[in-house]
Amino acid sequence: MDILGATLRVCVDDLEAAVSFYERLAGTEALRFGRGGVQAAAVGCFLLMSGPEEELEVLRKVAATIAVADVDEAHKTLTELGADVLAGPVPTPVGRNLIARHPDGAVYEYVDRRAVG
């Protein structure tokens, strides 16, 4: 499995203030999107999320987002290594993802940029 990078997930109360800070910190503009009641902004290696506490509570359980070349390959490798796949693989607006709990209990989202067809 090719791990291409990781994104740090940050839940914030004030998305606009956080975006301003992280844009200056990372030296890049935010890519904004929403899902359900949560508004998000990707800024460099940070994924900022803001919204209703009940939705953020679930999102906080995922330690990080890990970019991989192929979510299907990640699924196979994770399963072979004893991880529990909690959700997915499923299509997203930019590729596919899955959520897995590692044997140590840590929960991660794995994503790829493969076109869903």
Side-chain angles (χ1 to χ4, degrees), residues 19-20 23 28-32 40-44 48:
V19 164
S20 177
E23 282 180 332
T28 187
E29 288 187 32
L31 171 63
R32 296 168 185 258
V43 187
L48 311 174

Side-chain angles (χ1 to χ4, degrees), residues 3 10 13 18 23 26 32-33 40-42 46 59 72-73 75 91 111 113:
I3 295 178
V10 183
D13 292 329
E23 282 180 332
R32 296 168 185 258
F33 55 95
F46 301 97
L59 296 172
D72 293 328
E73 182 183 346
H75 184 276
V111 300
R113 300 276 187 215

Side-chain angles (χ1 to χ4, degrees), residues 4-51:
L4 306 175
T7 301
L8 306 170
R9 300 164 63 98
V10 183
C11 294
V12 298
D13 292 329
D14 183 343
L15 187 63
E16 293 310 312
V19 164
S20 177
F21 171 83
Y22 282 94
E23 282 180 332
R24 291 192 322 258
L25 179 67
T28 187
E29 288 187 32
L31 171 63
R32 296 168 185 258
F33 55 95
R35 189 168 193 176
V38 175
Q39 292 301 307
V43 187
C45 67
F46 301 97
L47 176 61
L48 311 174
M49 300 173 288
S50 185

